[in-house]
Every structure is written in C-alpha cells, then in structure tokens.
Amino acid sequence: LPRPSGDRATVLDMAVDQGGDPWQATNRGLVQFHEGRYVTHELPDDWWARVILGVAASRDGSVWFTRPMSLGHFRGGKQRVYTASDGLAREQSGPVFEDRSGTVWVGHSEGSVSHGSGGVFTADQTEIRHLWAIAQSENGDLWFGGLEGAVRFDGQSFHTLRLRGQV
C-alpha cells in the first residue's frame, strides 16, 4: 500500500472488509484504503479519542474498532460508540474480534473481556492482564493472548494458561 501523503500515522492493527478494502487502526484515526486512495473516517477532534487500537471487519460489511475507552461501529458512513454504559469493561480497550456467530469480543488492559451483539455487551474478568490478541480455533474456542499467558473460552468458561518459565 502507498503511504498516506504527509502523514506519519502508525498502523496498530488491520482488517480487510467484504469488498477487499484494508482498514487500518492508527494513532491518527480509522483509515480505509478504497479505490486506490486513503480515506480517513472522521472521529472526534480529541486526540486521545482519535487513537484507534484495534479494527475488525464484520461479515455484514461493517467495521468494528476500539478506542482507548470505547468500542466503535462504522456502518454505511455512520458510526456508533459503545462505552461502559453499554456493558463494556471500564478499562482500556485493545483488540476487537467478531466470532463466527457474529458476537463481538474486546480484550482489555486489566484482563476483562467484553462481548455482545445488538449493542448490548457483558464484561467478564480473566486472570491474564493486557489482552492484546484474539483468535478463534477451528472447534469454535476463543483464545485471548496477554501478559504472561493466554485464556481459552470454550463457550462456557474461561481457562487460563500461564507462560511463566515456559518461554
């Protein structure tokens, strides 16, 4: 991809939408590469709110993104922001992931995992802090990577796997 002209943005995460457009979570906002050019989607002017930490493309063509203390949803040129009042954990947000069933998952700095659909979220606490990676295995289990280990969610409960002395 060509660099945005005159911009020194740092790409923190990327996702590719249904149409093949790459979306970039950057320290300067949410950026889409569409029809050969960069499009920066408008966010509030507050610098801290412009930092996008994670991005995930949804099966319905929309895009989810995390900001330091919130989750955003971008669909058809409009965005909606979700916060603790919508059930998200009251911690810094990190990665965002949509699983095969359409549930959206967010990892947080103090080990919480927020998850939900339809704008309603729930937060669960895990034993691993600084959750910065989310993946889904072939059997449907969700994996969250963080400081000193990982957490597996089997659809019923969270299981901690510590890395102390292992790596």
Side-chain angles (χ1 to χ4, degrees):
L1 294 176
R3 287 181 29 190
S5 60
D7 193 5
R8 302 192 89 160
T10 299
V11 176
L12 304 170
D13 195 15
M14 291 185 72
V16 178
D17 68 18
Q18 295 286 335
D21 288 353
W23 289 75
Q24 301 171 18
T26 78
N27 60 322
R28 294 186 179 218
L30 183 63
V31 180
Q32 176 187 17
F33 191 71
H34 182 69
E35 296 180 353
R37 65 183 185 89
Y38 280 97
V39 177
T40 301
H41 294 280
E42 295 298 318
L43 297 172
D45 289 333
D46 177 10
W47 176 85
W48 188 240
R50 286 184 49 138
V51 175
I52 306 298
L53 298 168
V55 62
S58 178
R59 293 173 299 163
D60 68 6
S62 63
V63 175
W64 292 94
F65 59 95
T66 53
R67 299 190 299 183
M69 296 298 287
S70 64
L71 170 67
H73 188 216
F74 188 82
R75 181 190 319 219
K78 296 181 180 174
Q79 58 181 294
R80 165 86 160 83
V81 175
Y82 299 93
T83 64
S85 64
D86 299 297
L88 291 179
R90 294 182 187 276
E91 303 169 17
Q92 180 171 323
S93 299
V96 58
F97 181 83
E98 184 182 85
D99 70 17
R100 289 184 212 122
S101 71
T103 299
V104 176
W105 297 81
V106 178
H108 297 280
S109 61
E110 296 304 314
S112 291
V113 174
S114 296
H115 51 95
S117 60
V120 178
F121 294 89
T122 301
D124 291 303
Q125 186 65 40
T126 73
E127 296 179 23
I128 300 293
R129 294 182 335 140
H130 300 290
L131 298 175
W132 287 106
I134 306 173
Q136 189 169 26
S137 64
E138 194 171 306
N139 72 356
D141 287 358
L142 288 161
W143 290 84
F144 304 87
L147 186 63
E148 296 184 349
V151 175
R152 179 177 61 91
F153 180 69
D154 62 11
Q156 300 293 319
S157 57
F158 292 91
H159 307 276
T160 302
L161 293 99
R162 297 233 181 243
L163 289 176
R164 290 186 195 140
Q166 305 295 315
V167 180

